[in-house]
Amino acid sequence: MPPPKYEKGDTLRFRITTKDFDGNVITPTATPVAKLYKTENETLLNTLAVDNIGTGQYETYYEIPGDFVIYPASIDLYFEWSWSYQSRNFVERTIFRVVTIN
């Protein structure tokens, strides 16, 4: 299944509910970290501000810049949440594609 596609100027919202291995909502040791990477070479593009919107619930936004360089016609990125709870590290990643629409 190909990743979802977005264009320059689109605003993406990422949300997460942090849970333990049994599916119980937990409050991490610290606010989760939200980062955006270029998939091709895992280059860090941005670290995003995170808002706590409820118990164990967090969100962040990313607007794809209008001058974002896309070559040849699309680029795959991934968004990553990371957090810690009870001395364990957790990570969740979402891949998406930015395309040039003519």
Side-chain angles (χ1 to χ4, degrees):
M1 178 182 224
K5 297 178 184 177
Y6 300 96
E7 300 177 47
K8 295 177 185 181
D10 288 350
T11 299
L12 288 70
R13 179 183 68 186
F14 298 96
R15 282 189 172 179
I16 192 169
T17 300
T18 51
K19 297 180 180 181
D20 65 13
F21 290 111
D22 296 321
N24 301 307
V25 175
I26 55 98
T27 301
T29 307
T31 299
V33 175
K35 294 183 178 182
L36 186 68
Y37 292 89
K38 185 175 181 180
T39 304
E40 178 183 3
N41 54 11
E42 297 185 2
T43 301
L44 176 64
L45 298 176
N46 208 333
T47 299
L48 308 171
V50 174
D51 294 320
N52 183 316
I53 57 171
T55 302
Q57 297 178 338
Y58 303 87
E59 74 178 8
T60 189
Y61 294 86
Y62 176 68
E63 181 178 342
I64 302 168
D67 61 353
F68 196 79
V69 176
I70 302 173
Y71 181 81
S74 69
I75 187 171
D76 287 351
L77 306 177
Y78 70 87
F79 174 81
E80 177 182 279
W81 285 109
S82 58
W83 70 96
S84 297
Y85 177 70
Q86 292 184 345
S87 301
R88 290 185 174 87
N89 296 320
F90 295 82
V91 66
E92 183 175 306
R93 295 184 179 111
T94 303
I95 294 177
F96 62 97
R97 181 168 290 161
V98 179
V99 297
T100 299
I101 304 295
N102 295 328

